[in-house]
């Protein structure tokens, strides 16, 4: 751990500065809408980081991660409703269920390639949505209310002050970000990058592609499930139409793509931009019969077209030019 921190000293300094700003900002801007927006950004950052493991690092474009998002949400809702279980425990139960499902379904799914795999994951998620819509024990199409009276708000993560959600989500986001950063230079992630680059070449040098793709799928499912659990606690009400649709799956993908796939910080940048655009267009243009969705879609298309490498690539290009400029100045000075 000490070596990891030492080797990434600049990154941790940057993380500390960003974390300090993230802690102070909502104390300065005391607007409830902004607080809710910040909480949603963190939820989407988590699910974006989760999808990035399988889609960004491994190159397996899954369009059905709303299934794991919904499993995480429904696990905390059902365990709270029927057994009064604290979400601090049920979040991990939901993640375990998602990992088990990803392990079982990943075996046949990950044998498929390219668009066939993408369409198959969409079909899996849609099957899950239909099951949840018709499953009366978990509320069916009506959904599930999570709110319970006279309980400890910290034990059951049901806060009267919405800012508390933000700080709890911030802890989860930073923890997952550090895990991803630690794995970024690991053998596991190098194997995933090799599989993404050329699966046949990866297998020719002894990498068990099927095993590592399945591990990536399981890890991805667990992280996305955690994001779904936190979102459920934030809303205190869930139903299949808000959790397990194709729109949610596409939003998860876009969060990582817009920020920069296969990068540590990309999904967080993507979540900031995407969620902010989505929420502000909804607030200011939502009353004009879908105009908010049109503007949102156009903005997303423009960003993807003109910044294909993701928002993070702009910072990388700027940093590269700055480094080259510095070297040129040194040569001239020399």
């Amino acid at each position: 751990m000490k070596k990891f921190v030492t080797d990434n000293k600049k990154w941790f300094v940057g993380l500390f500065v960003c974390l300090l700003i993230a802690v102070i900002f909502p104390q300065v801007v005391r607007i409830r809408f902004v607080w809710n927006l910040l909480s949603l950004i963190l939820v989407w950052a988590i699910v974006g980081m989760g999808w990035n493991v399988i889609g960004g690092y491994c190159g397996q474009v899954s369009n059905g991660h709303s299934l794991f998002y919904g499993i995480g949400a429904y696990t905390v809702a059902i365990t709270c409703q029927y057994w009064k279980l604290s979400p601090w425990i049920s979040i991990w139960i939901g993640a375990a269920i998602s990992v088990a499902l990803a392990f079982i379904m990943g075996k046949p799914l990950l044998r498929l390639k390219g668009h066939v795999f993408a369409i198959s994951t969409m079909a899996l998620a849609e099957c899950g949505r239909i099951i949840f819509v018709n499953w009366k024990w978990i509320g069916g199409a009506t959904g599930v209310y999570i709110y319970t009276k006279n309980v400890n708000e910290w034990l059951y993560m049901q806060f009267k002050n919405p800012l508390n959600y933000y700080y709890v989500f911030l802890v989860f986001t930073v923890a997952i970000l550090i895990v991803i950063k630690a794995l970024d230079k690991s053998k596991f992630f190098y194997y995933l990058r090799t599989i993404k680059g050329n699966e046949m070449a990866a297998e020719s040098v002894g990498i068990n592609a099927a095993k590592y793709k399945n591990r990536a799928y399981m890890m991805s499912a667990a992280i996305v499930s955690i994001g779904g659990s936190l979102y459920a606690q934030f809303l205190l009400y869930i139903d299949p139409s808000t959790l397990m649709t194709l729109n949610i799956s596409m939003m998860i993908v876009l969060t990582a793509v817009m920020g920069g796939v296969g990068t540590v910080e990309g999904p967080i940048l993507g979540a900031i931009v995407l969620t902010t655009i989505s929420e502000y267009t909804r607030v200011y243009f939502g009353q004009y019969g879908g105009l908010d969705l049109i503007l949102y879609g156009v903005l997303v298309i423009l960003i993807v077209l003109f910044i294909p490498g993701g928002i993070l690539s702009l910072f990388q290009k700027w940093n590269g030019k700055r480094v080259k400029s510095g070297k040129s100045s040194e040569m001239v000075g020399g």
Side-chain angles (χ1 to χ4, degrees):
M1 183 66 185
K2 187 177 180 181
K3 186 178 185 299
F4 167 60
V5 174
T6 305
D7 292 344
N8 297 280
K9 191 178 291 183
K10 286 186 178 179
W11 186 86
F12 274 102
V13 170
L15 176 63
F16 177 76
V17 172
C18 291
L19 190 57
L20 198 62
I21 294 169
V23 170
I24 296 171
F25 180 74
Q27 298 294 340
V28 176
V29 183
R30 301 190 67 82
I31 303 171
R32 192 183 181 101
F33 172 77
V34 175
W35 291 355
N36 291 339
L37 174 63
L38 292 172
S39 297
L40 289 174
I41 286 171
L42 294 176
V43 169
W44 286 110
I46 290 170
V47 297
M49 286 189 287
W51 183 89
N52 197 37
V53 175
I54 187 69
Y57 285 101
C58 197
Q60 311 300 306
V61 181
S62 168
N63 290 331
H65 265 49
S66 61
L67 175 63
F68 305 120
Y69 189 69
I71 287 172
Y74 267 94
T75 301
V76 296
I78 295 303
T79 54
C80 179
Q81 185 183 63
Y82 287 108
W83 301 294
K84 303 301 178 188
L85 191 65
S86 169
W88 296 103
I89 299 172
S90 54
I91 283 172
W92 307 110
I93 296 173
I97 294 170
S98 294
V99 167
L101 185 62
F103 175 75
I104 295 166
M105 298 306 301
K107 291 283 186 180
L109 277 178
L110 291 165
R111 293 176 181 272
L112 306 173
K113 311 289 183 186
H115 63 278
V116 180
F117 172 75
I119 293 170
S120 299
T121 56
M122 288 168 60
L124 178 64
E126 183 62 14
C127 289
R129 187 188 68 81
I130 292 170
I131 290 169
F132 276 61
V133 165
N134 293 282
W135 193 354
K136 300 301 180 184
W137 186 71
I138 60 171
T142 306
V144 182
Y145 287 96
I146 304 174
Y147 179 74
T148 48
K149 294 181 180 179
N150 303 320
V151 294
N152 184 294
E153 63 176 41
W154 280 98
L155 181 62
Y156 284 89
M157 208 186 291
Q158 296 180 10
F159 304 118
K160 294 175 183 176
N161 182 358
L163 195 54
N164 290 336
Y165 285 110
Y166 169 70
Y167 286 123
V168 170
F169 295 177
L170 186 62
V171 171
F172 275 93
T173 305
V174 171
I176 293 169
L177 178 65
I178 291 172
V179 169
I180 298 294
K181 181 63 178 178
L183 290 171
D184 186 52
K185 302 298 182 185
S186 68
K187 184 172 70 173
F188 176 37
F189 272 31
Y190 277 124
Y191 283 177
L192 297 184
R193 291 189 184 99
T194 307
I195 293 166
K196 178 183 178 181
N198 191 319
E199 189 171 329
M200 288 183 66
E203 289 182 335
S204 70
V205 295
I207 297 172
N208 188 333
K211 181 176 78 173
Y212 285 102
K213 285 196 295 183
N214 206 17
R215 286 183 181 179
Y217 195 47
M218 290 159 62
M219 181 178 176
S220 178
I223 297 172
V224 171
S225 175
I226 290 170
S229 298
L230 296 176
Y231 183 67
Q233 288 301 132
F234 180 66
L235 288 186
L236 296 178
Y237 167 76
I238 57 168
D239 69 272
S241 64
T242 58
L243 291 169
M244 304 181 73
T245 62
L246 180 60
N247 290 343
I248 297 296
S249 289
M250 291 298 99
M251 181 85 169
I252 293 171
V253 175
L254 280 172
T255 300
V257 170
M258 187 170 287
V261 294
T263 61
V264 177
E265 302 85 1
I268 294 177
L269 287 173
I272 293 169
V273 173
L274 201 64
T275 311
T276 303
I277 291 173
S278 174
E279 290 301 302
Y280 274 99
T281 52
R282 180 181 61 81
V283 168
Y284 289 107
F285 301 103
Q287 66 270 32
Y288 299 112
L291 181 61
D292 61 319
L293 297 176
I294 294 171
L295 289 172
Y296 169 66
V298 169
L299 287 169
V300 168
I301 290 168
L302 289 173
I303 291 172
V304 172
L305 281 176
F306 292 102
I307 319 173
I311 297 166
L312 192 64
S313 64
L314 294 177
F315 293 95
Q316 290 171 341
K317 286 178 182 177
W318 175 80
N319 189 51
K321 288 178 181 178
R322 189 170 61 84
V323 171
K324 286 181 181 178
S325 177
K327 287 182 179 178
S328 300
S329 300
E330 287 177 8
M331 289 175 69
V332 171

